[in-house]
Amino acid sequence: MAEIANLGHSFGELPDAQKSIFDLGEFVGDLTIEDDASSDDVSLEGLQQELEECKNDDVVANILSKGTKLREYTKGVENNLRQVELDSIQDYIKESDNLVSLHDQIRECDGILSQMETLLSGFQAEIGSISSDIKILQEKSMDMGLKLKNRKVAESKLAKFVEDIIVPPRMVDIIVDGEVNDEFLRTLEILSKKVKFIEVDPMAKTSKALKDVQPELEKLRQKAVSKVFEFIVQKLYALRKPKTNIQILQQSVLLKYKYVISFLKEHGKEVYQEVRAAYIDTMNKVLSAHFRAYIQALEKLQLDIATSTDLIGVEARSMSLFSSRRETLKNRSAVYALGDRINILKEIDQPALIPHIAEASSAKYPYEVLFRSLHKLLMDTATSEYLFCDDFFGEESIFFDIFAGPFAVIDEHLNAILPNCYDAIGLMLMILITHQHQLTMSRRRIPCLDSYLDKVNISLWPRFKMVFDLHLSSLRNANVKMLWEDDIHPHYVMRRYAEFTASLIQLNVEHGDGQLELNLERLRMAVDDLLVKLAKMFPKPKQQIGFLINNYDVAIAVLKEAGSDGGKIQMHFEESLKSNTALFVEELLLEHFSDLIKFVKTRASEDPSSPSDRAVTIAEVEPLVKDFANRWKAAIELMHKDVITSFSNFLCGMDILRAALTQLLLYYTRLSDCIKRIPGGSVLNKDLVSISSIMYEIRKYSRTF
């Protein structure tokens, strides 16, 4: 490039005239192309293949078609190349001025770039020094950041320590002079935390500040304990005021200050025990007084149902003698019949009775109603008190100390009532009420009355068993002569027994006590024995059987009326009724058609045509036929009147009459069949009553039914 530039300079120095006559041919010289000496040694191997490849080339094809020699063609090409080269050089020479200018510009740029290089090298050196400075600053910054972090941690710990250990003047003022309110409770919590802090924190125990702070905190603790003790005691005294709604006072006042109790537990255990004892004493006395007053008010509402003489097997005359001074009951059957008393089980969750309202309406209630009301009040009061004690004191055991008094009051009442209670129905109702109350407390998930209700249940069952045994003994040891009345209608003892048994069966449906079922079976056997003894007091068998039928029928009717499943007892009476009905039918027919029945049973089955001295003859049956024809309608009417007057239950009497008439028809049919078999018996046809006539009479009485 430099040589060309120098050449340019040399040309530039020539005069213009010389430039114009410059001859490239003279300058280059006469160029000749000599023959290649080694051309004869060129190998022609592969020529054919190259020719094949180049046969499609236009230039090669043109050369080959013209037959031009290759050497000549080559020389022509070389001359052309030389000429092109010379032309290019000439063009280059023409541009020499521009190339010189370009060269100058490049040299100037090179100088400028050299200066820039020097400047940038200086910058690079300065940047290197700045980078080292930045690195140093970064290290210092990290060190300062670490120190700052450590100082912040130390500051936070120190600030927390100072905050936990110092006693602000405001806190002192509130504890010493402030009223017990929400702010006081918040301050009390702060004081509790500070007292705990100096007791358990190891740094606080070794700090010099402890000597200054600990005495002040102790004084504040003592002052706070004293102050909250006085406050709680005042609130407890409010519980003793008459007509105070204890539950509202507990929920709206005492529970707001339950933290006071927690503070006393932690920082004033002796005072807490005093508060606990004061609350127990207060509530024990208040609740005991409430329950005692409630029980006294309930006793005025009590309706006496039964006494020791109100037993199934006791004769009515002795009962009226002993009960002449007693208040006359509106419904004497309440002693044995359940009636509407069962409704108390549907009202198990109703509110307790309000005595003064009931007394104002002059209402009287069986004892089970008062029993339910008393225990409903007990359950609600116990539930409220149990939850309050658990929330306020955090102790469940305190409940039992409080309710020792109310339990004793109720126990005293029950111990006075139960020994004089001879109402077996009422006792069974109380047992079921207690069971329902146990389920209620279980649903509430309040276990505080479990042991008490178990004890009540244990006291009720033996009393019920004793009263039941009194009824059983009254049947077994009954004075038959005193009980017997010359009347075959249902005996009052049987009605008592039926009502009593139906009541207990109905109450036992849900309870399902197997022991009670056994006792009822024993009672059934005793009343059966007594009925048989009473029946034997009647002189005639028909009266005896009629008496038994009437009593069995009333027992079945009462058991069905109760709407309960009488079970084995009802089945027993139904079978007894059926068997005695058959006996009564025979006795009734014997009374009016004894000769006819005797003949049919003894002779009607014999074959009159058989040779025998005792063959049935017309003379033997003729009186029977004529007698029956003369008075059968009158006899049936007498039987109808007899049945109507003998049986209290019209339906039962009509069933017996139909059975008697059906049996009579069977006897007379057998008699008619016997006559047909007697030789010459057709002579009696005019006296025989047709079967259709008897059937018509039977249907007539059926229509009457």
Side-chain angles (χ1 to χ4, degrees), residues 622-649:
E622 185 178 6
L624 297 176
V625 172
K626 290 183 177 181
D627 178 68
F628 184 84
N630 290 331
R631 62 184 189 85
W632 71 277
K633 287 186 178 181
I636 290 177
E637 182 61 29
L638 290 174
M639 289 168 56
H640 176 257
K641 292 180 179 179
D642 193 0
V643 167
I644 291 296
T645 56
S646 297
F647 298 103
S648 304
N649 187 348

PDB file of all heavy atoms in Angstrom, residues 622-649:
ATOM      1  N   GLU A 622    -140.886 -88.728  74.017  1.00  0.00           N
ATOM      2  CA  GLU A 622    -142.063 -87.907  73.812  1.00  0.00           C
ATOM      3  C   GLU A 622    -142.215 -86.814  74.860  1.00  0.00           C
ATOM      4  O   GLU A 622    -142.502 -85.652  74.514  1.00  0.00           O
ATOM      5  CB  GLU A 622    -143.311 -88.804  73.777  1.00  0.00           C
ATOM      6  CG  GLU A 622    -144.588 -88.036  73.445  1.00  0.00           C
ATOM      7  CD  GLU A 622    -145.809 -88.950  73.354  1.00  0.00           C
ATOM      8  OE1 GLU A 622    -145.662 -90.163  73.660  1.00  0.00           O
ATOM      9  OE2 GLU A 622    -146.877 -88.457  72.963  1.00  0.00           O
ATOM     10  N   PRO A 623    -142.026 -87.110  76.163  1.00  0.00           N
ATOM     11  CA  PRO A 623    -142.146 -86.024  77.157  1.00  0.00           C
ATOM     12  C   PRO A 623    -141.145 -84.898  76.900  1.00  0.00           C
ATOM     13  O   PRO A 623    -141.456 -83.716  77.127  1.00  0.00           O
ATOM     14  CB  PRO A 623    -141.870 -86.738  78.484  1.00  0.00           C
ATOM     15  CG  PRO A 623    -142.166 -88.171  78.226  1.00  0.00           C
ATOM     16  CD  PRO A 623    -141.785 -88.422  76.809  1.00  0.00           C
ATOM     17  N   LEU A 624    -139.936 -85.263  76.449  1.00  0.00           N
ATOM     18  CA  LEU A 624    -138.908 -84.240  76.195  1.00  0.00           C
ATOM     19  C   LEU A 624    -139.330 -83.325  75.047  1.00  0.00           C
ATOM     20  O   LEU A 624    -139.191 -82.095  75.134  1.00  0.00           O
ATOM     21  CB  LEU A 624    -137.564 -84.903  75.857  1.00  0.00           C
ATOM     22  CG  LEU A 624    -136.930 -85.775  76.951  1.00  0.00           C
ATOM     23  CD1 LEU A 624    -135.661 -86.444  76.450  1.00  0.00           C
ATOM     24  CD2 LEU A 624    -136.618 -84.916  78.175  1.00  0.00           C
ATOM     25  N   VAL A 625    -139.894 -83.953  74.013  1.00  0.00           N
ATOM     26  CA  VAL A 625    -140.286 -83.167  72.840  1.00  0.00           C
ATOM     27  C   VAL A 625    -141.434 -82.234  73.190  1.00  0.00           C
ATOM     28  O   VAL A 625    -141.420 -81.042  72.840  1.00  0.00           O
ATOM     29  CB  VAL A 625    -140.673 -84.099  71.673  1.00  0.00           C
ATOM     30  CG1 VAL A 625    -141.269 -83.299  70.522  1.00  0.00           C
ATOM     31  CG2 VAL A 625    -139.478 -84.894  71.218  1.00  0.00           C
ATOM     32  N   LYS A 626    -142.417 -82.750  73.877  1.00  0.00           N
ATOM     33  CA  LYS A 626    -143.564 -81.920  74.218  1.00  0.00           C
ATOM     34  C   LYS A 626    -143.181 -80.812  75.204  1.00  0.00           C
ATOM     35  O   LYS A 626    -143.669 -79.682  75.103  1.00  0.00           O
ATOM     36  CB  LYS A 626    -144.683 -82.795  74.789  1.00  0.00           C
ATOM     37  CG  LYS A 626    -145.325 -83.702  73.745  1.00  0.00           C
ATOM     38  CD  LYS A 626    -146.485 -84.497  74.339  1.00  0.00           C
ATOM     39  CE  LYS A 626    -147.179 -85.355  73.258  1.00  0.00           C
ATOM     40  NZ  LYS A 626    -148.316 -86.111  73.791  1.00  0.00           N
ATOM     41  N   ASP A 627    -142.337 -81.167  76.164  1.00  0.00           N
ATOM     42  CA  ASP A 627    -141.907 -80.156  77.145  1.00  0.00           C
ATOM     43  C   ASP A 627    -141.167 -79.014  76.440  1.00  0.00           C
ATOM     44  O   ASP A 627    -141.377 -77.834  76.739  1.00  0.00           O
ATOM     45  CB  ASP A 627    -141.017 -80.818  78.196  1.00  0.00           C
ATOM     46  CG  ASP A 627    -140.510 -79.824  79.208  1.00  0.00           C
ATOM     47  OD1 ASP A 627    -141.329 -79.308  80.004  1.00  0.00           O
ATOM     48  OD2 ASP A 627    -139.268 -79.525  79.200  1.00  0.00           O
ATOM     49  N   PHE A 628    -140.253 -79.366  75.524  1.00  0.00           N
ATOM     50  CA  PHE A 628    -139.483 -78.341  74.801  1.00  0.00           C
ATOM     51  C   PHE A 628    -140.408 -77.481  73.941  1.00  0.00           C
ATOM     52  O   PHE A 628    -140.278 -76.249  73.901  1.00  0.00           O
ATOM     53  CB  PHE A 628    -138.416 -79.012  73.925  1.00  0.00           C
ATOM     54  CG  PHE A 628    -137.527 -78.021  73.216  1.00  0.00           C
ATOM     55  CD1 PHE A 628    -136.421 -77.476  73.849  1.00  0.00           C
ATOM     56  CD2 PHE A 628    -137.805 -77.602  71.917  1.00  0.00           C
ATOM     57  CE1 PHE A 628    -135.611 -76.564  73.208  1.00  0.00           C
ATOM     58  CE2 PHE A 628    -136.999 -76.681  71.272  1.00  0.00           C
ATOM     59  CZ  PHE A 628    -135.884 -76.145  71.917  1.00  0.00           C
ATOM     60  N   ALA A 629    -141.380 -78.134  73.278  1.00  0.00           N
ATOM     61  CA  ALA A 629    -142.292 -77.393  72.404  1.00  0.00           C
ATOM     62  C   ALA A 629    -143.152 -76.416  73.192  1.00  0.00           C
ATOM     63  O   ALA A 629    -143.496 -75.335  72.700  1.00  0.00           O
ATOM     64  CB  ALA A 629    -143.176 -78.364  71.628  1.00  0.00           C
ATOM     65  N   ASN A 630    -143.487 -76.784  74.434  1.00  0.00           N
ATOM     66  CA  ASN A 630    -144.361 -75.939  75.237  1.00  0.00           C
ATOM     67  C   ASN A 630    -143.643 -74.700  75.791  1.00  0.00           C
ATOM     68  O   ASN A 630    -144.260 -73.637  75.920  1.00  0.00           O
ATOM     69  CB  ASN A 630    -144.975 -76.753  76.389  1.00  0.00           C
ATOM     70  CG  ASN A 630    -145.993 -77.775  75.889  1.00  0.00           C
ATOM     71  OD1 ASN A 630    -146.636 -77.563  74.846  1.00  0.00           O
ATOM     72  ND2 ASN A 630    -146.143 -78.875  76.608  1.00  0.00           N
ATOM     73  N   ARG A 631    -142.407 -74.833  76.141  1.00  0.00           N
ATOM     74  CA  ARG A 631    -141.801 -73.724  76.892  1.00  0.00           C
ATOM     75  C   ARG A 631    -140.435 -73.246  76.354  1.00  0.00           C
ATOM     76  O   ARG A 631    -139.720 -72.511  77.032  1.00  0.00           O
ATOM     77  CB  ARG A 631    -141.641 -74.132  78.360  1.00  0.00           C
ATOM     78  CG  ARG A 631    -140.736 -75.302  78.597  1.00  0.00           C
ATOM     79  CD  ARG A 631    -140.704 -75.696  80.085  1.00  0.00           C
ATOM     80  NE  ARG A 631    -139.679 -76.688  80.351  1.00  0.00           N
ATOM     81  CZ  ARG A 631    -138.388 -76.401  80.595  1.00  0.00           C
ATOM     82  NH1 ARG A 631    -137.987 -75.147  80.622  1.00  0.00           N
ATOM     83  NH2 ARG A 631    -137.513 -77.356  80.817  1.00  0.00           N
ATOM     84  N   TRP A 632    -140.064 -73.629  75.143  1.00  0.00           N
ATOM     85  CA  TRP A 632    -138.712 -73.233  74.711  1.00  0.00           C
ATOM     86  C   TRP A 632    -138.575 -71.726  74.523  1.00  0.00           C
ATOM     87  O   TRP A 632    -137.539 -71.137  74.862  1.00  0.00           O
ATOM     88  CB  TRP A 632    -138.322 -73.989  73.434  1.00  0.00           C
ATOM     89  CG  TRP A 632    -139.066 -73.560  72.180  1.00  0.00           C
ATOM     90  CD1 TRP A 632    -140.288 -73.964  71.782  1.00  0.00           C
ATOM     91  CD2 TRP A 632    -138.589 -72.639  71.186  1.00  0.00           C
ATOM     92  NE1 TRP A 632    -140.646 -73.377  70.597  1.00  0.00           N
ATOM     93  CE2 TRP A 632    -139.604 -72.556  70.195  1.00  0.00           C
ATOM     94  CE3 TRP A 632    -137.434 -71.906  71.021  1.00  0.00           C
ATOM     95  CZ2 TRP A 632    -139.486 -71.734  69.068  1.00  0.00           C
ATOM     96  CZ3 TRP A 632    -137.310 -71.110  69.896  1.00  0.00           C
ATOM     97  CH2 TRP A 632    -138.318 -71.013  68.927  1.00  0.00           C
ATOM     98  N   LYS A 633    -139.611 -71.070  74.011  1.00  0.00           N
ATOM     99  CA  LYS A 633    -139.516 -69.619  73.840  1.00  0.00           C
ATOM    100  C   LYS A 633    -139.455 -68.899  75.182  1.00  0.00           C
ATOM    101  O   LYS A 633    -138.681 -67.953  75.366  1.00  0.00           O
ATOM    102  CB  LYS A 633    -140.702 -69.110  73.027  1.00  0.00           C
ATOM    103  CG  LYS A 633    -140.639 -69.463  71.559  1.00  0.00           C
ATOM    104  CD  LYS A 633    -141.777 -68.786  70.792  1.00  0.00           C
ATOM    105  CE  LYS A 633    -141.692 -69.090  69.306  1.00  0.00           C
ATOM    106  NZ  LYS A 633    -142.776 -68.410  68.547  1.00  0.00           N
ATOM    107  N   ALA A 634    -140.306 -69.367  76.118  1.00  0.00           N
ATOM    108  CA  ALA A 634    -140.306 -68.736  77.445  1.00  0.00           C
ATOM    109  C   ALA A 634    -138.967 -68.948  78.133  1.00  0.00           C
ATOM    110  O   ALA A 634    -138.434 -68.055  78.815  1.00  0.00           O
ATOM    111  CB  ALA A 634    -141.442 -69.307  78.290  1.00  0.00           C
ATOM    112  N   ALA A 635    -138.392 -70.131  77.928  1.00  0.00           N
ATOM    113  CA  ALA A 635    -137.098 -70.426  78.546  1.00  0.00           C
ATOM    114  C   ALA A 635    -135.998 -69.539  77.963  1.00  0.00           C
ATOM    115  O   ALA A 635    -135.128 -69.026  78.693  1.00  0.00           O
ATOM    116  CB  ALA A 635    -136.747 -71.904  78.344  1.00  0.00           C
ATOM    117  N   ILE A 636    -136.048 -69.334  76.654  1.00  0.00           N
ATOM    118  CA  ILE A 636    -135.036 -68.466  76.024  1.00  0.00           C
ATOM    119  C   ILE A 636    -135.175 -67.033  76.537  1.00  0.00           C
ATOM    120  O   ILE A 636    -134.175 -66.350  76.801  1.00  0.00           O
ATOM    121  CB  ILE A 636    -135.175 -68.519  74.489  1.00  0.00           C
ATOM    122  CG1 ILE A 636    -134.721 -69.887  73.962  1.00  0.00           C
ATOM    123  CG2 ILE A 636    -134.360 -67.399  73.839  1.00  0.00           C
ATOM    124  CD1 ILE A 636    -134.885 -70.061  72.461  1.00  0.00           C
ATOM    125  N   GLU A 637    -136.407 -66.583  76.722  1.00  0.00           N
ATOM    126  CA  GLU A 637    -136.604 -65.227  77.236  1.00  0.00           C
ATOM    127  C   GLU A 637    -136.072 -65.101  78.657  1.00  0.00           C
ATOM    128  O   GLU A 637    -135.454 -64.083  79.024  1.00  0.00           O
ATOM    129  CB  GLU A 637    -138.099 -64.893  77.198  1.00  0.00           C
ATOM    130  CG  GLU A 637    -138.448 -63.483  77.674  1.00  0.00           C
ATOM    131  CD  GLU A 637    -137.810 -62.411  76.830  1.00  0.00           C
ATOM    132  OE1 GLU A 637    -137.574 -62.637  75.621  1.00  0.00           O
ATOM    133  OE2 GLU A 637    -137.498 -61.314  77.392  1.00  0.00           O
ATOM    134  N   LEU A 638    -136.317 -66.172  79.475  1.00  0.00           N
ATOM    135  CA  LEU A 638    -135.773 -66.161  80.837  1.00  0.00           C
ATOM    136  C   LEU A 638    -134.248 -66.147  80.815  1.00  0.00           C
ATOM    137  O   LEU A 638    -133.604 -65.466  81.626  1.00  0.00           O
ATOM    138  CB  LEU A 638    -136.294 -67.385  81.609  1.00  0.00           C
ATOM    139  CG  LEU A 638    -137.775 -67.382  81.975  1.00  0.00           C
ATOM    140  CD1 LEU A 638    -138.176 -68.733  82.598  1.00  0.00           C
ATOM    141  CD2 LEU A 638    -138.077 -66.249  82.947  1.00  0.00           C
ATOM    142  N   MET A 639    -133.676 -66.919  79.890  1.00  0.00           N
ATOM    143  CA  MET A 639    -132.215 -66.920  79.759  1.00  0.00           C
ATOM    144  C   MET A 639    -131.715 -65.524  79.369  1.00  0.00           C
ATOM    145  O   MET A 639    -130.696 -65.042  79.888  1.00  0.00           O
ATOM    146  CB  MET A 639    -131.786 -67.939  78.695  1.00  0.00           C
ATOM    147  CG  MET A 639    -131.975 -69.401  79.118  1.00  0.00           C
ATOM    148  SD  MET A 639    -131.780 -70.572  77.740  1.00  0.00           S
ATOM    149  CE  MET A 639    -130.159 -70.162  77.162  1.00  0.00           C
ATOM    150  N   HIS A 640    -132.441 -64.861  78.497  1.00  0.00           N
ATOM    151  CA  HIS A 640    -132.049 -63.512  78.073  1.00  0.00           C
ATOM    152  C   HIS A 640    -132.074 -62.544  79.253  1.00  0.00           C
ATOM    153  O   HIS A 640    -131.132 -61.756  79.470  1.00  0.00           O
ATOM    154  CB  HIS A 640    -133.006 -63.042  76.970  1.00  0.00           C
ATOM    155  CG  HIS A 640    -132.750 -61.626  76.535  1.00  0.00           C
ATOM    156  ND1 HIS A 640    -133.543 -60.583  76.925  1.00  0.00           N
ATOM    157  CD2 HIS A 640    -131.773 -61.084  75.753  1.00  0.00           C
ATOM    158  CE1 HIS A 640    -133.086 -59.461  76.416  1.00  0.00           C
ATOM    159  NE2 HIS A 640    -132.005 -59.747  75.685  1.00  0.00           N
ATOM    160  N   LYS A 641    -133.162 -62.607  80.032  1.00  0.00           N
ATOM    161  CA  LYS A 641    -133.255 -61.737  81.203  1.00  0.00           C
ATOM    162  C   LYS A 641    -132.170 -62.056  82.224  1.00  0.00           C
ATOM    163  O   LYS A 641    -131.595 -61.151  82.846  1.00  0.00           O
ATOM    164  CB  LYS A 641    -134.638 -61.871  81.850  1.00  0.00           C
ATOM    165  CG  LYS A 641    -135.764 -61.307  81.006  1.00  0.00           C
ATOM    166  CD  LYS A 641    -137.107 -61.468  81.710  1.00  0.00           C
ATOM    167  CE  LYS A 641    -138.244 -60.887  80.866  1.00  0.00           C
ATOM    168  NZ  LYS A 641    -139.557 -61.054  81.528  1.00  0.00           N
ATOM    169  N   ASP A 642    -131.906 -63.342  82.381  1.00  0.00           N
ATOM    170  CA  ASP A 642    -130.871 -63.766  83.327  1.00  0.00           C
ATOM    171  C   ASP A 642    -129.509 -63.201  82.915  1.00  0.00           C
ATOM    172  O   ASP A 642    -128.747 -62.675  83.744  1.00  0.00           O
ATOM    173  CB  ASP A 642    -130.828 -65.295  83.371  1.00  0.00           C
ATOM    174  CG  ASP A 642    -130.018 -65.812  84.554  1.00  0.00           C
ATOM    175  OD1 ASP A 642    -129.500 -64.960  85.323  1.00  0.00           O
ATOM    176  OD2 ASP A 642    -129.895 -67.040  84.709  1.00  0.00           O
ATOM    177  N   VAL A 643    -129.220 -63.297  81.633  1.00  0.00           N
ATOM    178  CA  VAL A 643    -127.921 -62.796  81.139  1.00  0.00           C
ATOM    179  C   VAL A 643    -127.840 -61.283  81.290  1.00  0.00           C
ATOM    180  O   VAL A 643    -126.808 -60.731  81.704  1.00  0.00           O
ATOM    181  CB  VAL A 643    -127.718 -63.222  79.671  1.00  0.00           C
ATOM    182  CG1 VAL A 643    -126.562 -62.454  79.036  1.00  0.00           C
ATOM    183  CG2 VAL A 643    -127.472 -64.709  79.574  1.00  0.00           C
ATOM    184  N   ILE A 644    -128.930 -60.600  80.954  1.00  0.00           N
ATOM    185  CA  ILE A 644    -128.938 -59.136  81.033  1.00  0.00           C
ATOM    186  C   ILE A 644    -128.666 -58.667  82.459  1.00  0.00           C
ATOM    187  O   ILE A 644    -127.937 -57.698  82.691  1.00  0.00           O
ATOM    188  CB  ILE A 644    -130.280 -58.566  80.521  1.00  0.00           C
ATOM    189  CG1 ILE A 644    -130.410 -58.776  79.017  1.00  0.00           C
ATOM    190  CG2 ILE A 644    -130.417 -57.087  80.860  1.00  0.00           C
ATOM    191  CD1 ILE A 644    -129.383 -58.038  78.205  1.00  0.00           C
ATOM    192  N   THR A 645    -129.267 -59.348  83.433  1.00  0.00           N
ATOM    193  CA  THR A 645    -129.103 -58.926  84.829  1.00  0.00           C
ATOM    194  C   THR A 645    -127.807 -59.432  85.448  1.00  0.00           C
ATOM    195  O   THR A 645    -127.320 -58.860  86.434  1.00  0.00           O
ATOM    196  CB  THR A 645    -130.287 -59.436  85.670  1.00  0.00           C
ATOM    197  OG1 THR A 645    -130.384 -60.871  85.542  1.00  0.00           O
ATOM    198  CG2 THR A 645    -131.588 -58.801  85.209  1.00  0.00           C
ATOM    199  N   SER A 646    -127.228 -60.456  84.888  1.00  0.00           N
ATOM    200  CA  SER A 646    -126.044 -61.062  85.500  1.00  0.00           C
ATOM    201  C   SER A 646    -124.729 -60.399  85.077  1.00  0.00           C
ATOM    202  O   SER A 646    -123.751 -60.424  85.831  1.00  0.00           O
ATOM    203  CB  SER A 646    -125.972 -62.562  85.158  1.00  0.00           C
ATOM    204  OG  SER A 646    -127.083 -63.250  85.684  1.00  0.00           O
ATOM    205  N   PHE A 647    -124.717 -59.801  83.889  1.00  0.00           N
ATOM    206  CA  PHE A 647    -123.442 -59.303  83.362  1.00  0.00           C
ATOM    207  C   PHE A 647    -123.505 -57.797  83.130  1.00  0.00           C
ATOM    208  O   PHE A 647    -124.414 -57.289  82.467  1.00  0.00           O
ATOM    209  CB  PHE A 647    -123.083 -60.026  82.056  1.00  0.00           C
ATOM    210  CG  PHE A 647    -122.889 -61.502  82.244  1.00  0.00           C
ATOM    211  CD1 PHE A 647    -123.882 -62.400  81.856  1.00  0.00           C
ATOM    212  CD2 PHE A 647    -121.745 -61.998  82.845  1.00  0.00           C
ATOM    213  CE1 PHE A 647    -123.717 -63.752  82.051  1.00  0.00           C
ATOM    214  CE2 PHE A 647    -121.585 -63.351  83.039  1.00  0.00           C
ATOM    215  CZ  PHE A 647    -122.564 -64.242  82.649  1.00  0.00           C
ATOM    216  N   SER A 648    -122.539 -57.124  83.684  1.00  0.00           N
ATOM    217  CA  SER A 648    -122.476 -55.663  83.563  1.00  0.00           C
ATOM    218  C   SER A 648    -122.167 -55.249  82.134  1.00  0.00           C
ATOM    219  O   SER A 648    -122.677 -54.247  81.638  1.00  0.00           O
ATOM    220  CB  SER A 648    -121.401 -55.103  84.500  1.00  0.00           C
ATOM    221  OG  SER A 648    -121.650 -55.499  85.821  1.00  0.00           O
ATOM    222  N   ASN A 649    -121.324 -56.015  81.479  1.00  0.00           N
ATOM    223  CA  ASN A 649    -120.947 -55.709  80.100  1.00  0.00           C
ATOM    224  C   ASN A 649    -121.983 -56.308  79.160  1.00  0.00           C
ATOM    225  O   ASN A 649    -122.087 -57.529  79.013  1.00  0.00           O
ATOM    226  CB  ASN A 649    -119.551 -56.273  79.808  1.00  0.00           C
ATOM    227  CG  ASN A 649    -119.023 -55.860  78.448  1.00  0.00           C
ATOM    228  OD1 ASN A 649    -119.760 -55.334  77.614  1.00  0.00           O
ATOM    229  ND2 ASN A 649    -117.745 -56.094  78.219  1.00  0.00           N
TER     230      ASN A 649
END
